[in-house]
Amino acid sequence: MNKTIFITGTSSGLGKASARYFAEQGWNVAATMRSPEKETDLTKYSNIKIFRLDVTNLAEVQQATQDAINAFGKIDVVINNAGMGAYGALELAKEADIDWQFAVNTRGPINIIRAFLPHFRNNGGGMFINVSSFMGLTTAVPLGSLYNMSKFALEGLTEGLYYELKPLNIELRLIEQGGSTDNNFINNVVWNVNPDITVYDDLTRKLKHLFETADRSLKDDTLDIVKVLFDLATRKSNKFRTVIGNSGNGLMALRNSVPIETYLEQISQNFS
Ligand SMILES: NC(=O)c1ccc[n+]([C@@H]2O[C@H](COP(=O)([O-])OP(=O)(O)OC[C@H]3O[C@@H](n4cnc5c(N)ncnc54)[C@H](OP(=O)(O)O)[C@@H]3O)[C@@H](O)[C@H]2O)c1
């Protein structure tokens, strides 16, 4: 019987590319997104079914997970991919944006995992793959504290869950990507700004410039990341964490080789 994967955030970027790739490899795909009425690409695949899902909305989480289980009978793997970034000085962040950053990137996966646990228990197993970032393991730029918080928390959540889910044959995986060549992430970044407070302007300008000009050599081919997800889902790779790409692996090598004080100073100097 064909395997089935459930993916969040499939309207663009890594989520959409993953939905396509798994379908092309013969998997059934429950592709979820906030606005299915806008989708014109994934609808062309007979083995993809699309479900409405905002991962922060508990009613939609219950509906989408149940509808996907009813449609396919069994879900084998769940990818928690949906995510967004709130960048800028913490002092300038709107209260709602602080909560939203956590709600999407951290609480969202919690909602999805809790919704699927009864199904996985009944099936005698399953797998959650959580899409993190190297920003979940280390800092890399100034003004990313909220995004770092959300992905560090996702890492802790996933590692912490290992012990209670291992006896149930429910596996956990993390990928730490650093940005793919064709995602919509930067366009969706929420910037914390306040025209009355200018002390963070210089750093903000430098970070925006970096985001806008980051050349392709700093990013990874989307298909390469998708293939990592596929290898994890098919158990070709059993790695708990997979850091993807030169940027992330380079930063992790630095982070692991020098004291934290040296690391922080070095990153800081990149923006001085
Ligand atoms: N791009 C990067 O630089 C980068 C680096 C490291 C890690 N990541 C992580 O990789 C994952 C995929 O991002 P991407 O790079 O492919 O960017 P992307 O193209 O912006 O994709 C993000 C997806 O998440 C969805 N989403 C946002 N809020 C949602 C919500 N409340 N409920 C359900 N879906 C929601 C978006 O849907 P809408 O179209 O409805 O907004 C979109 O489909 C994210 O977890 C991100 O944090 C990205």
Side-chain angles (χ1 to χ4, degrees):
M1 207 173 92
N2 287 354
K3 298 250 181 188
T4 302
I5 192 153
F6 180 103
I7 311 173
T8 66
T10 60
S11 67
S12 64
L14 182 62
K16 172 166 278 196
S18 301
R20 268 200 225 109
Y21 188 82
F22 276 84
E24 283 158 9
Q25 305 308 309
W27 283 54
N28 296 320
V29 180
T32 69
M33 60 186 73
R34 287 194 289 185
S35 308
E37 66 282 358
K38 293 186 190 158
E39 184 58 36
T40 56
D41 173 20
L42 300 183
T43 48
K44 295 178 187 139
Y45 291 77
S46 60
N47 52 342
I48 297 182
K49 287 192 196 306
I50 299 175
F51 302 92
R52 178 181 304 279
L53 174 60
D54 177 333
V55 296
T56 69
N57 180 324
L58 280 175
E60 286 189 11
V61 169
Q62 285 309 323
Q63 189 72 49
T65 53
Q66 206 45 61
D67 288 350
I69 292 166
N70 292 342
F72 292 111
K74 182 181 178 220
I75 306 291
D76 298 282
V77 179
V78 170
I79 301 184
N80 278 307
N81 165 75
M84 56 76 68
Y87 280 87
L90 184 67
E91 183 185 352
L92 309 186
K94 294 192 181 72
E95 297 296 336
D97 290 339
I98 297 171
D99 291 341
W100 191 244
Q101 177 66 99
F102 188 79
V104 178
N105 289 15
T106 317
R107 192 67 162 95
I110 291 174
N111 296 338
I112 299 296
I113 289 169
R114 281 167 54 86
F116 270 108
L117 280 175
H119 182 65
F120 279 180
R121 277 196 292 102
N122 289 337
N123 293 345
M127 181 189 286
F128 294 108
I129 306 177
N130 292 339
V131 178
S132 179
S133 162
F134 60 69
M135 294 276 280
L137 294 173
T138 187
T139 51
V141 293
L143 308 179
S145 63
L146 288 173
Y147 189 73
N148 275 130
M149 174 267 314
S150 70
K151 293 295 191 184
F152 270 60
L154 181 63
E155 295 273 342
L157 173 83
T158 313
E159 201 174 307
L161 275 172
Y162 177 86
Y163 306 104
E164 70 204 55
L165 298 188
K166 182 180 160 57
L168 306 177
N169 197 30
I170 299 171
E171 297 172 83
L172 294 152
R173 305 281 183 260
L174 280 156
I175 67 157
E176 289 83 10
Q177 66 146 327
S180 56
T181 40
D182 62 355
N183 62 71
N184 202 29
F185 189 81
I186 301 304
N187 299 329
N188 289 331
V189 164
V190 172
W191 286 98
N192 310 331
V193 284
N194 179 336
D196 297 330
I197 301 175
T198 57
V199 288
Y200 305 108
D201 282 2
D202 187 43
L203 267 185
T204 306
R205 190 178 43 74
K206 285 175 177 160
L207 184 64
K208 281 189 175 174
H209 180 72
L210 175 75
F211 279 179
E212 282 157 15
T213 58
D215 74 51
R216 285 179 71 91
S217 66
L218 289 172
K219 300 177 181 172
D220 297 298
D221 193 276
T222 312
L223 193 57
D224 290 343
I225 307 175
V226 170
K227 285 180 178 168
V228 171
L229 291 171
F230 192 74
D231 285 353
L232 292 169
T234 53
R235 294 179 176 77
K236 190 171 165 201
S237 165
N238 290 319
K239 286 178 76 169
F240 183 75
R241 282 198 169 91
T242 309
V243 180
I244 300 166
N246 291 334
S247 316
N249 280 296
L251 273 171
M252 288 312 298
L254 177 66
R255 171 91 185 218
N256 292 329
S257 65
V258 296
I260 182 66
E261 294 80 5
T262 309
Y263 180 87
L264 293 172
E265 200 44 43
Q266 194 154 328
I267 298 294
S268 180
Q269 277 172 14
N270 293 343
F271 292 84
S272 61

